[in-house]
Amino acid sequence: MPTASKPRVVTTAAAVMSAIGAVSATASLNDICSNAYAAAALPLDAVQGITINTTSVTTQLVTNFTAESIFYPTSTFDYCNLTFAYSHNGIEGDLVHVQYWLPAPGQFQNRYVSTGGGGWAINSGSSSIPTGIIAGGVGGMTDGGFGSFDDQFSGVALLENGTVNWQATYMFGYQAHHELATLGKQLTRNLYNVSDSTKLYAYYQGCSEGGREGWSQVQRYPDQFDGIAVGAPAFRWAQQQVNHLTGNVIQQTQNYYPSSCELEAIMNLTIASCDPLDGRTDGIVSRSDLCLNNLDLNGMVGTAYSCPATAASYGSSATPAQEGNITAEAITQMRAYWEGLHDSDGNLVYFSYQPGSTFTDLQTAYNTADDSWELSVSGLGGIWVGLFIDKLQETNLPNLDNVTYDTLKEWMVYSMATYGDILQTTYPDLTDFKAAGGKVIHFHGEQDFSIPTASSVRYWESVRSVTFAGQSRKQSTAAMDDFYRLYLVPGAGHCDVNSYQPGGPWPQTSLQTVIDWVENGVVPDTLAGTGDIDTLCRWPLRPQWTNNGANMTCIESDSSVASFTYDLSAFRLPVY
Ligand SMILES: *[C@@H]1O[C@H](CO)[C@@H](O)[C@H](O)[C@H]1NC(C)=O
Ligand SMILES: *[C@@H]1O[C@H](CO)[C@@H](O)[C@H](O)[C@H]1NC(C)=O
Ligand SMILES: *[C@@H]1O[C@H](CO)[C@@H](O)[C@H](O)[C@H]1NC(C)=O
Ligand SMILES: *[C@@H]1O[C@H](CO)[C@@H](O)[C@H](O)[C@H]1NC(C)=O
Ligand SMILES: *[C@@H]1O[C@H](CO)[C@@H](O)[C@H](O)[C@H]1NC(C)=O
Ligand SMILES: *[C@@H]1O[C@H](CO)[C@@H](O)[C@H](O)[C@H]1NC(C)=O
Ligand SMILES: *[C@@H]1O[C@H](CO)[C@@H](O)[C@H](O)[C@H]1NC(C)=O
Ligand SMILES: *[C@@H]1O[C@H](CO)[C@@H](O)[C@H](O)[C@H]1NC(C)=O
Ligand SMILES: *[C@@H]1O[C@H](CO)[C@@H](O)[C@H](O)[C@H]1NC(C)=O
Ligand SMILES: [Ca+2]
């Protein structure tokens, strides 16, 4: 039997209810936003092996809610917040909460939209779920069974030291989202009286871990979603998580820890050097593939830099006023960082971020006691290794003592072997999804500092070469265009615009674009962007400006494709 859930607060929106006029023929939001109406619509038989707690239903009418995000157009609306809980039969203490935001019946356009999380979170709270309502549908999110909507997977990853919580790991990997969508689609039909013969369109939106969650569904359940809009997915998990430690191991091997100001100075010089190469000097790096061949790294040595002191803020500690000249050691470090992780035999293990992006994985810590900069273990990499390789309940690795480049490779191999089927999320054969008519809009910041831009390119190329094996590059690229399009976002960082490259674009209406593609056959040659650059090229086309930056064209560039293509020769098995 599941343990009792936390008491649920049921809000009756008395003020709103009294404002509702006489009963009309069409149901209002108020009519459907009651525990009784929702309980009668529960999708009791939609998912095998679970039991929905029919008395766990809560409904709450929320009016005049304004949702604002770079992932959807700003909108103000009324909605009903519906939650319920279920448990997996046969698992002691199991309890999963799901939350659905319901639009007013008059706004409902036969759509359901699942939303995902980021980092170790399987949902993004109230910031992502509004996208469903804005798209004329029901929005959904899950807590994965991790406790509450605010609890993350990392908090429940181990049952004890040495004991992986496999149920939670599978839920995070893909199971929770399959259940969320399966329940959400049937619930939506039941709530809005959508008959079985009427098409209910289903979509997914998410970025980073949320992007991985979207792919986890497309790869396994080809007809679950009609379309997904995903950014910078955290897939190829084994490599992706461990690779966060590559910068730290370079520093430790070199015994050089650059200050935050020295890192920023090198980044600024890199941006300034790379910016014009795309044909438009606008402070935005749109062609990072051209950077390294033109960057005078040696010429940076000795360049003076300075930064004012900064106060401690959430997520970063205080730094002193800094002044210095860029050192040769720092430049050596940058070369190694951009060349990517190599093992002791010189084989490439994994690739790096694009030049111009912030050096997040190289951030050091300021030691006030002896006024020096020292190692700061990347939490994203350290938590993965601590919890899932060392299997110790800790919040990060305490240090990287004795960790070498070969150790990082071994951790990747172990991660693939142990968790690959759950978390790797790079299954490259999308034949069934394509056959089901599914569409994908996938985008990635050209200057992402947390998930290498080349990671998305690599997966797109894997799908192209596996799903369309035997076809020429030209044929298979055209075939990809039918259902899966990848767009790199000039200047953008990780699932966000980049404050160091202001004015850069962001694909704010990517969900609307995929909906238009699915429902109206409007094929997105380019993706709309906000900011000064309103047209994002689809891979493998690349932006290039002519006429002094006045004219942009999406061009073919073999050298650009080559620059994003890596032979991960350290692994004997294919790494998709
Ligand atoms: C169902 O949910 C209600 C409300 O949260 C709770 O009181 C009850 O214990 C739950 N029942 C079961 C069988 O878990
Ligand atoms: C809705 O919210 C806006 C801004 O939050 C406010 O100005 C407006 O008065 C509100 N409207 C109603 C009907 O409550
Ligand atoms: C939705 O309802 C749940 C359950 O009552 C509650 O925990 C959550 O805070 C509500 N969300 C919003 C945005 O009101
Ligand atoms: C669905 O049908 C039921 C029964 O006819 C009705 O009471 C309810 O208001 C309808 N719901 C909507 C959203 O139209
Ligand atoms: C880097 O450029 C930003 C403007 O984008 C500026 O605020 C900052 O001071 C520069 N940093 C250094 C170390 O020059
Ligand atoms: C930086 O280099 C200049 C010479 O180019 C030198 O005068 C200055 O002292 C150096 N500054 C620091 C902090 O090392
Ligand atoms: C589990 O490992 C952590 C980290 O090493 C340690 O602090 C904790 O004491 C261990 N817990 C038990 C019950 O041994
Ligand atoms: C690192 O390696 C040295 C030499 O093999 C060993 O003495 C030491 O205990 C190791 N340290 C850690 C933290 O494993
Ligand atoms: C730039 O684009 C405009 C509008 O498409 C076109 O009229 C003009 O000929 C183009 N100029 C160049 C130099 O390509
Ligand atoms: Ca530029």
Side-chain angles (χ1 to χ4, degrees):
M1 288 299 290
T3 54
S5 66
K6 283 180 253 169
R8 309 244 127 228
V9 180
V10 180
T11 307
T12 49
V16 174
M17 287 166 100
S18 66
I20 299 288
V23 179
S24 73
T26 322
S28 67
L29 184 59
N30 194 57
D31 293 333
I32 67 171
C33 200
S34 74
N35 290 3
Y37 186 87
L42 288 174
L44 296 177
D45 301 321
V47 175
Q48 185 188 24
I50 70 162
T51 300
I52 295 176
N53 179 343
T54 53
T55 57
S56 69
V57 173
T58 74
T59 49
Q60 183 185 11
L61 191 63
V62 180
T63 57
N64 202 28
F65 179 85
T66 296
E68 220 174 333
S69 159
I70 57 168
F71 287 97
Y72 45 73
T74 300
S75 179
T76 298
F77 52 80
D78 300 344
Y79 70 94
C80 179
N81 172 11
L82 162 61
T83 72
F84 62 88
Y86 65 91
S87 47
H88 295 97
N89 301 338
I91 302 181
E92 183 94 21
D94 186 64
L95 189 64
V96 184
H97 302 100
V98 286
Q99 186 171 139
Y100 298 97
W101 284 21
L102 319 179
Q107 312 285 307
F108 177 70
Q109 297 171 60
N110 285 351
R111 297 186 188 117
Y112 168 76
V113 185
S114 275
T115 62
W120 294 95
I122 197 168
N123 67 67
S124 308
S126 304
S127 72
S128 288
I129 194 170
T131 199
I133 307 239
I134 293 166
V138 169
M141 68 180 191
T142 176
D143 81 346
F146 309 147
S148 76
F149 292 106
D150 296 329
D151 287 310
Q152 304 194 358
F153 169 50
S154 48
V156 295
L158 298 180
L159 298 170
E160 296 281 353
N161 287 345
T163 307
V164 171
N165 184 346
W166 288 107
Q167 173 64 12
T169 306
Y170 276 97
M171 285 295 277
F172 187 69
Y174 58 86
Q175 190 184 337
H177 267 289
H178 181 47
E179 293 169 356
L180 172 73
T182 308
L183 293 170
K185 287 162 72 173
Q186 189 59 49
L187 173 75
T188 301
R189 285 188 180 279
N190 297 350
L191 287 167
Y192 294 90
N193 299 331
V194 181
S195 71
D196 287 347
S197 59
T198 303
K199 172 78 180 167
L200 175 79
Y201 288 98
Y203 298 97
Y204 177 90
Q205 186 176 30
C207 204
S208 194
E209 161 56 19
R212 188 201 65 78
E213 289 159 18
W215 276 117
S216 78
Q217 304 303 293
V218 165
Q219 292 165 4
R220 290 182 177 79
Y221 313 107
D223 56 5
Q224 179 168 304
F225 294 124
D226 297 286
I228 68 167
V230 287
F235 54 22
R236 206 170 306 100
W237 185 273
Q239 283 78 9
Q240 166 60 30
Q241 302 307 328
V242 176
N243 191 53
H244 278 297
L245 298 170
T246 296
N248 291 153
V249 176
I250 292 171
Q251 293 173 325
Q252 180 170 276
T253 306
Q254 203 188 335
N255 192 25
Y256 182 75
Y257 300 95
S259 70
S260 58
C261 191
E262 186 172 32
L263 289 171
E264 192 176 78
I266 296 171
M267 177 190 68
N268 282 359
L269 290 170
T270 305
I271 293 172
S273 164
C274 299
D275 167 16
L277 303 177
D278 51 33
R280 193 172 100 138
T281 304
D282 52 3
I284 299 161
V285 178
S286 300
R287 289 293 302 280
S288 59
D289 52 294
L290 302 174
C291 284
L292 285 185
N293 285 342
N294 289 272
L295 196 57
D296 180 11
L297 274 170
N298 291 338
M300 290 186 192
V301 175
T303 306
Y305 61 79
S306 68
C307 294
T310 61
S313 62
Y314 179 74
S316 60
S317 39
T319 58
Q322 301 168 57
E323 213 171 88
N325 294 336
I326 293 174
T327 61
E329 287 94 329
I331 295 306
T332 302
Q333 189 160 111
M334 293 315 134
R335 286 191 203 283
Y337 190 60
W338 284 328
E339 276 167 11
L341 176 61
H342 288 73
D343 65 15
S344 54
D345 294 330
N347 291 314
L348 182 63
V349 181
Y350 209 53
F351 40 77
S352 189
Y353 309 102
Q354 294 300 111
S357 53
T358 52
F359 295 113
T360 306
D361 285 353
L362 288 173
Q363 285 308 316
T364 47
Y366 179 64
N367 183 331
T368 18
D370 59 4
D371 184 29
S372 69
W373 295 85
E374 59 189 28
L375 183 72
S376 166
V377 180
S378 158
L380 287 164
I383 292 174
W384 170 252
V385 174
L387 290 177
F388 290 91
I389 297 176
D390 292 350
K391 296 180 189 150
L392 293 172
Q393 287 173 322
E394 53 193 16
T395 51
N396 196 353
L397 290 177
N399 59 60
L400 294 176
D401 289 356
N402 293 351
V403 174
T404 66
Y405 300 130
D406 286 342
T407 317
L408 296 181
K409 174 185 154 183
E410 284 158 21
W411 282 344
M412 289 181 185
V413 170
Y414 179 89
S415 300
M416 271 199 291
T418 312
Y419 307 99
D421 64 321
I422 311 174
L423 289 167
Q424 194 73 348
T425 328
T426 48
Y427 186 74
D429 180 4
L430 300 185
T431 307
D432 293 347
F433 177 74
K434 180 179 193 293
K439 308 286 185 222
V440 177
I441 300 280
H442 176 163
F443 55 88
H444 202 127
E446 180 93 19
Q447 302 277 270
D448 194 312
F449 52 82
S450 192
I451 298 180
T453 311
S455 169
S456 283
V457 171
R458 185 178 191 84
Y459 180 66
W460 186 94
E461 289 283 346
S462 296
V463 173
R464 183 190 63 72
S465 60
V466 171
T467 305
F468 304 107
Q471 297 189 15
S472 71
R473 176 170 282 272
K474 200 175 166 150
Q475 283 174 323
S476 54
T477 298
M480 289 290 278
D481 265 351
D482 288 345
F483 81 109
Y484 169 16
R485 293 181 174 217
L486 168 67
Y487 307 80
L488 303 190
V489 188
H494 183 59
C495 293
D496 205 349
V497 293
N498 182 350
S499 63
Y500 287 105
Q501 298 181 32
W506 186 256
Q508 188 166 25
T509 49
S510 61
L511 179 62
Q512 281 66 27
T513 302
V514 85
I515 289 174
D516 220 18
W517 192 7
V518 166
E519 298 183 18
N520 306 318
V522 177
V523 180
D525 278 343
T526 55
L527 192 57
T530 57
D532 297 340
I533 301 171
D534 58 6
T535 305
L536 311 183
C537 300
R538 79 180 184 282
W539 183 262
L541 302 180
R542 302 287 287 145
Q544 187 67 47
W545 280 264
T546 53
N547 199 13
N548 268 332
N551 284 41
M552 197 277 263
T553 0
C554 297
I555 61 162
E556 285 184 38
S557 165
D558 290 346
S559 59
S560 187
V561 171
S563 133
F564 278 98
T565 307
Y566 296 90
D567 176 14
L568 302 184
S569 54
F571 301 98
R572 292 199 183 83
L573 286 172
V575 175
Y576 293 113

